[in-house]
Amino acid sequence: MQDRESWTTGSLVWHLGLRWRARIDRALTPLGLTHAQYSVLAPLHTLVRAGDRPSQRELAEQTGLQPIYISKLVRALERGGFVSSERDTRDARAVRLDLTEQGHRIALQAKDIVQQVDHENTRVLGGEGSHELVELHRILSALLDATDAADG
């Protein structure tokens, strides 16, 4: 194993992200989902439950993913029977999204699974509500804010 003390912060974040995503991918496989698909399905579920039928562009803004990537993931979710889409009656360029009954059910199951993986992954820091986990959230949020400002 490499000496991680010599790794850059970016390298540590990269490797952690890869492993975290792979673990979620494995956990979601029985539901027929990938982590990337979950990253679209979960926020779509939240928006639909709030009474919204977002466009693909709105969902891209919500998730921070590129619209072309959202389009690809939505098509896969449609093929899986989780999402339905239709042209916006007021804007022919826009596609409005909704969840199927199966999509609602799978989204709830997937959220529970991802939350469990999150708890397992952060147990080493003392688990939910621990000082260490609260501090990690604060630090990661500060790093995200800094990169947003730099990209600005």
Side-chain angles (χ1 to χ4, degrees):
M1 181 172 306
Q2 296 179 5
D3 178 18
R4 292 184 187 149
E5 289 182 17
S6 66
W7 289 11
T8 65
T9 301
S11 185
L12 286 167
V13 170
W14 172 258
H15 284 276
L16 178 60
L18 288 174
R19 291 177 185 151
W20 204 291
R21 181 176 176 168
R23 190 163 184 201
I24 291 174
D25 273 337
R26 285 190 303 273
L28 293 175
T29 294
L31 299 181
L33 292 175
T34 65
H35 184 264
Q37 291 168 339
Y38 172 79
S39 296
V40 170
L41 187 67
L44 178 59
H45 180 258
T46 299
L47 291 168
V48 168
R49 286 187 64 177
D52 195 7
R53 291 193 57 233
S55 69
Q56 288 187 16
R57 182 160 302 281
E58 291 165 344
L59 189 57
E61 291 170 5
Q62 175 79 18
T63 63
L65 297 171
Q66 293 296 318
I68 191 75
Y69 194 43
I70 291 289
S71 178
K72 178 182 173 184
L73 292 169
V74 164
R75 282 194 309 272
L77 290 167
E78 281 184 298
R79 284 191 304 272
F82 306 123
V83 171
S84 63
S85 66
E86 64 182 41
R87 289 277 172 207
D88 189 318
T89 57
R90 294 172 303 219
D91 181 355
R93 298 169 298 165
V95 174
R96 293 282 164 192
L97 304 173
D98 203 349
L99 291 176
T100 64
E101 188 175 314
Q102 179 185 11
H104 279 284
R105 190 177 67 255
I106 292 297
L108 289 172
Q109 291 175 4
K111 285 180 176 184
D112 287 344
I113 288 169
V114 169
Q115 185 175 39
Q116 181 60 39
V117 170
D118 192 67
H119 289 311
E120 291 169 9
N121 284 345
T122 58
R123 190 173 293 133
V124 67
L125 296 176
E128 190 173 340
S130 71
H131 171 74
E132 291 82 358
L133 189 54
V134 169
E135 185 64 8
L136 177 63
H137 275 249
R138 187 191 66 72
I139 291 167
L140 291 173
S141 292
L143 287 172
L144 283 170
D145 290 344
T147 57
D148 285 346
D151 291 341

